[in-house]
Amino acid sequence: MTGTNGSPSQGAGDPRFEDQDIAGIAGNPIPHLDGNAVAGPLWEVFRIDIIAAIGRCRNCGAVRAFGEALVYTDAPGIVVRCKSCEGVLLRLVETPTSYWLDVSGLSYLQIDREGQDLA
């Protein structure tokens, strides 16, 4: 990616960001929500409340509650990024017939079964 003057834009080539096209840069940040914004769509997939789940970022190793993640909804789907390093944790795209889910940015996701309504 290059800026308007032909010089590399800030963050270009940074190995932390595999999706430079959707990564915010200084002076042009992309607005984000917290992990609660993805609770409804992920309920449709998992049928559990995932917000309190603990996940480990494959990129930086941070372990946090999913509800702390940065959620971007301005893409064709939902992109969830690590609050520590902004690496992509999860992508969710819904089509009329399918859900496309990529969780390759998570090393693991620990979901507590206590208090879950398993109706």
Side-chain angles (χ1 to χ4, degrees):
M1 288 174 46
T2 59
T4 56
N5 63 1
S7 64
S9 52
Q10 188 173 5
D14 188 336
R16 293 181 307 157
F17 300 109
E18 64 184 55
D19 291 328
Q20 288 294 320
D21 59 327
I22 60 173
I25 57 173
N28 188 24
I30 299 171
H32 66 273
L33 307 167
D34 68 18
N36 291 307
V38 76
L42 288 178
W43 170 262
E44 292 296 318
V45 176
F46 291 109
R47 298 289 186 210
I48 57 170
D49 183 8
I50 197 169
I51 299 309
I54 305 297
R56 181 176 188 268
C57 175
R58 186 174 300 279
N59 186 52
C60 73
V63 177
R64 294 180 172 266
F66 201 80
E68 295 180 39
L70 308 175
V71 177
Y72 297 86
T73 58
D74 291 342
I78 296 170
V79 176
V80 180
R81 292 183 173 269
C82 174
K83 187 173 183 176
S84 298
C85 73
E86 295 188 20
V88 175
L89 299 174
L90 177 148
R91 295 178 186 107
L92 177 65
V93 175
E94 181 181 355
T95 70
T97 59
S98 303
Y99 288 102
W100 293 81
L101 178 64
D102 171 15
V103 292
S104 60
L106 289 166
S107 295
Y108 67 79
L109 189 61
Q110 175 189 347
I111 302 167
D112 185 8
R113 292 179 64 180
E114 293 296 316
Q116 294 289 339
D117 181 12
L118 302 175

